[in-house]
Amino acid sequence: MKLEINNAVSFLAEGKVNEYEAKVMAAQKALEEGTCKGNDFLGWLHLPSSITPEFINEINATAKTLQDNCDAIVVAGIGGSYLGAKAVIAALDDNFSWLKKSNAPRILFAGNNISEDYLSELIDYLKGVKFGVINISKSGTTTETAITFRLMKKMCEEQMGKDVAKKVIVAITDAKKGAARTCADKEGYKTFVIPDNVGGRFSVLTPVGLLPIACAGFDICQLVKGAQDMEKECDVNAPFCSNPAAVYAATRNAVYAEGKKIEILVNYQPKLHYVSEWWKQLYGESEGKDGKGIFPASVDFSTDLHSMGQWIQDGERTIFETVISIDKPNHDLAVPTDAENLDGLNFLAGKHIDEVNHKAELGTCLAHIDGGVPNIRISIPKLDEYALGQLIYFFEKGCGISGLLIDVNPFNQPGVEAYKKNMFALLGKPGYEAETEAIQKRIS
Ligand code: PA5
């Protein structure tokens, strides 16, 4: 993985990024020594290097049981209990996998919305299908996930029989507390623990991400290896300029300080769409508090050049871009020659589609720089498990440092409780009687 910041530095006064060195180093030291805000949630920091081959084997063995017994696996979870697995699977999967034959079971995500139509259509699809369920919830009480799991458990037991259901339902939750734990212990499901000190959005390298990814048939060993290597590269003792997470955190905060309040994560491969969704949760939930924080947005190019491209080129100048670029595609396809050349495309004949894509990237980058948009570029040699592991750890470390640079607690999310409180009050959840009364007065 390579990080290039020249096209962002050129928007700043000389030496601005390096001015952050001392603060970034202090933030890293605070993370390392556990003296920072949110220090009870630092389990992600050395998570990759703590993963053992035995642990990987256990995950792979559980994935094999699910694969052997199921044609579909429903992964129930939301937020950090969903986006990491979704991002990695979508990035590695064939763009048209659901239309092609495969030996791996279909991985279906649910529990990440409260849509009656979504759940009904899922149930409709699952009729007659051999399926298992991975129920993921750290708290074990998240409403979206719990409703979905109740429906899936019932259907799985009815369709597969109670004994098989016990084999193909797996819970990933707290070691001791929460409804998901109580249910799993009572039913005798296989369980994995989400460590207390790893928050949801930092949990993709725990079983939360690893089990669904392994079930989808991808190499979690390589994913973890990529993260382990990046953990070393971003070590607290690495020099500032050769620590990509440190330089990324410094650069994005330097441009933020100049009024660039929105960071747009850009990709040129549709498969990276959910990596952006994962990244938005990671940075949005970590930094957006106390009236501060860069707003994380994302676009898929070149698709969105035909929609958001206008705004990015010409709208309010409060944005900067971080581009994830892939050096080489996993396929080999060139533009064919056409004797008639009716479409006038023969100037591209023989060129790889990816060459056109890279020219679109370079042309866009230059145009956006001309339009006043600083550009950070992250490139990976190819899209595979190893590179994704690197990206995951790089972004996590960059996020931890960045949050501390703006002096917020990057590891809590008090803001997400507000909607839950209102929803429970409106639904009349036991224990919310006073809130129910107050909210009814407010809306009547
Ligand atoms: O990052 C977070 O902590 C959140 O997004 C949670 O992952 C999300 O709310 C789901 O919580 P839980 O795993 O407790 O069901």
Side-chain angles (χ1 to χ4, degrees):
M1 198 206 86
K2 195 169 146 206
L3 175 73
E4 291 161 79
I5 59 164
N6 289 351
N7 290 324
V9 170
S10 57
F11 284 82
L12 300 165
E14 212 184 316
K16 265 282 169 216
V17 170
N18 289 338
E19 275 175 24
Y20 277 82
E21 179 171 349
K23 281 192 213 156
V24 166
M25 289 319 222
Q28 288 206 90
K29 200 158 169 272
L31 286 170
E32 208 60 42
E33 293 172 356
T35 53
C36 60
K37 288 183 176 170
N39 57 4
D40 42 348
F41 281 99
L42 295 176
W44 58 273
L45 191 61
H46 294 297
L47 179 66
S49 54
S50 74
I51 298 174
T52 61
E54 292 72 32
F55 184 67
I56 302 256
N57 288 344
E58 191 189 345
I59 301 260
N60 279 332
T62 306
K64 175 124 186 17
T65 303
L66 287 165
Q67 286 169 333
D68 288 348
N69 289 282
C70 306
D71 294 324
I73 298 168
V74 177
V75 179
I78 192 166
S81 291
Y82 152 59
L83 283 162
K86 176 74 187 176
V88 173
I89 292 171
L92 296 172
D93 210 359
D94 187 293
N95 278 300
F96 300 96
S97 60
W98 79 97
L99 296 172
K100 296 182 182 175
K101 284 212 171 76
S102 157
N103 290 332
R106 275 188 188 171
I107 308 297
L108 307 167
F109 290 91
N112 52 58
N113 60 56
I114 326 178
S115 163
E116 189 157 341
D117 286 347
Y118 187 94
L119 287 166
S120 304
E121 289 163 16
L122 175 66
I123 287 169
D124 197 33
Y125 168 75
L126 289 172
K127 275 180 197 145
V129 173
K130 290 197 288 171
F131 76 95
V133 187
I134 305 176
N135 186 31
I136 310 177
S137 179
K138 185 171 182 194
S139 62
T141 54
T142 300
T143 312
E144 290 88 337
T145 310
I147 292 174
T148 299
F149 183 64
R150 180 181 277 214
L151 288 163
M152 290 299 113
K153 176 177 186 286
K154 182 168 177 285
M155 186 171 183
C156 187
E157 286 171 351
E158 284 168 3
Q159 204 157 286
M160 308 279 285
K162 254 206 140 189
D163 286 345
V164 180
K166 275 187 207 267
K167 236 170 48 179
V168 296
I169 297 180
V170 177
I172 304 176
T173 188
D174 187 84
K176 295 198 188 87
K177 53 183 193 305
R181 166 57 58 187
T182 311
C183 170
D185 287 348
K186 182 177 165 284
E187 299 286 2
Y189 300 148
K190 168 78 184 162
T191 61
F192 288 96
V193 170
I194 308 176
D196 269 348
N197 61 356
V198 179
R201 57 191 176 275
F202 288 84
S203 70
V204 51
L205 297 170
T206 73
V208 169
L210 296 180
L211 182 61
I213 294 165
C215 285
F218 299 115
D219 185 347
I220 56 169
C221 210
Q222 277 305 304
L223 185 82
V224 168
K225 175 85 174 71
Q228 287 171 340
D229 287 352
M230 188 52 70
E231 182 187 328
K232 282 189 206 128
E233 215 174 314
C234 299
D235 187 78
V236 63
N237 295 316
F240 173 70
C241 57
S242 54
N243 176 337
V247 173
Y248 175 56
T251 309
R252 63 195 294 281
N253 278 287
V255 293
Y256 179 48
E258 298 295 320
K260 304 294 188 191
K261 292 178 181 297
I262 301 165
E263 178 174 9
I264 306 178
L265 194 71
V266 178
N267 68 68
Y268 284 81
Q269 287 291 345
K271 287 183 182 191
L272 290 178
H273 176 85
Y274 278 97
V275 168
S276 298
E277 296 304 310
W278 169 82
W279 172 88
K280 283 194 282 194
Q281 189 212 359
L282 181 64
Y283 279 78
E285 234 173 42
S286 300
E287 293 188 306
K289 47 198 74 154
D290 305 340
K292 295 182 265 193
I294 297 170
F295 182 84
S298 66
V299 287
D300 302 324
F301 284 170
S302 67
T303 313
D304 292 334
L305 282 171
H306 297 257
S307 59
M308 292 301 290
Q310 172 60 40
W311 200 103
I312 295 169
Q313 186 68 44
D314 235 2
E316 192 180 59
R317 300 297 74 190
T318 47
I319 55 173
F320 67 101
E321 287 179 320
T322 296
V323 177
I324 303 180
S325 182
I326 303 165
D327 293 344
K328 276 208 173 340
N330 288 325
H331 295 277
D332 196 3
L333 184 66
V335 178
T337 310
D338 187 295
E340 291 193 83
N341 196 27
L342 293 177
D343 52 13
L345 273 188
N346 271 357
F347 76 103
L348 295 177
K351 283 198 197 309
H352 278 264
I353 308 291
D354 195 58
E355 188 181 338
V356 181
N357 202 22
H358 273 99
K359 292 289 185 275
E361 183 200 324
L362 182 56
T364 305
C365 169
L366 296 172
H368 288 180
I369 291 168
D370 292 345
V373 183
N375 184 290
I376 298 172
R377 185 170 189 266
I378 297 158
S379 54
I380 54 174
K382 63 180 192 146
L383 189 52
D384 59 10
E385 287 91 335
Y386 182 81
L388 286 165
Q390 285 190 307
L391 277 179
I392 286 167
Y393 190 82
F394 159 76
F395 278 130
E396 287 182 352
K397 186 82 189 267
C399 182
I401 298 170
S402 275
L404 297 180
L405 287 182
I406 58 167
D407 197 27
V408 298
N409 175 352
F411 310 115
N412 65 3
Q413 54 285 326
V416 299
E417 295 310 314
Y419 99 89
K420 289 186 195 166
K421 199 178 99 196
N422 286 347
M423 180 176 76
F424 292 148
L426 289 164
L427 289 167
K429 184 174 176 171
Y432 284 76
E433 290 75 11
E435 287 86 352
T436 299
E437 206 186 316
I439 207 160
Q440 287 303 345
K441 274 192 199 136
R442 186 173 159 192
I443 59 172
S444 61

